[in-house]
Amino acid sequence: MKWIAFLLLGFNSMDACSQTYVFDKNHFAIVNSNAAIRNVSEIGYHKSLEIISQNTDDILINSSSLALVNTMLVSSLTQVNEAFKDAIQIKNISQTVLDISSVSKQVFD
């Protein structure tokens, strides 16, 4: 028991000088300026990512609009094609009616 008491007294009487603090103003200023530059770079990086994301969204919207316009053009051209086919059929029908009337006139004369 005396031995434990002696050890405890021995440890309490020693000064604990395991670490000392050293403050270097120049190093502290350099670390702070590096942190500031890193923070500014990070903010710039995130802003450029936001711009890229916005441009990607704009491209998506433009490509969707382009697909819609393409569909509308194809539909319109199909309608024009059908109108031309109808006009050609009407022209052929009228030509046939004229041929029938001229032949009928010749038959009755």
Side-chain angles (χ1 to χ4, degrees):
M1 183 72 165
K2 287 182 181 182
W3 183 251
I4 293 175
F6 176 72
L7 284 177
L8 287 176
L9 284 175
F11 285 126
N12 285 339
S13 65
M14 290 184 202
D15 286 337
C17 297
S18 62
Q19 289 183 347
T20 57
Y21 294 105
V22 176
F23 183 73
D24 186 7
K25 289 182 181 180
N26 291 333
H27 180 70
F28 188 69
I30 290 170
V31 168
N32 282 340
S33 67
N34 283 342
I37 296 296
R38 191 173 338 146
N39 194 17
V40 168
S41 297
E42 186 92 14
I43 290 170
Y45 173 71
H46 285 292
K47 285 191 184 279
S48 67
L49 282 181
E50 288 174 6
I51 290 170
I52 290 170
S53 176
Q54 182 63 39
N55 289 343
T56 304
D57 291 342
D58 290 345
I59 289 170
L60 181 64
I61 290 170
N62 288 340
S63 63
S64 298
S65 299
L66 185 63
L68 179 64
V69 167
N70 189 15
T71 302
M72 290 171 49
L73 281 173
V74 167
S75 176
S76 298
L77 288 176
T78 301
Q79 290 175 354
V80 167
N81 189 28
E82 291 298 321
F84 280 145
K85 285 181 182 178
D86 291 344
I88 290 171
Q89 287 179 352
I90 290 171
K91 180 185 137 202
N92 288 339
I93 289 171
S94 64
Q95 185 65 37
T96 304
V97 167
L98 287 175
D99 287 345
I100 290 173
S101 80
S102 68
V103 169
S104 297
K105 206 180 223 186
Q106 287 175 1
V107 167
F108 289 124
D109 285 341

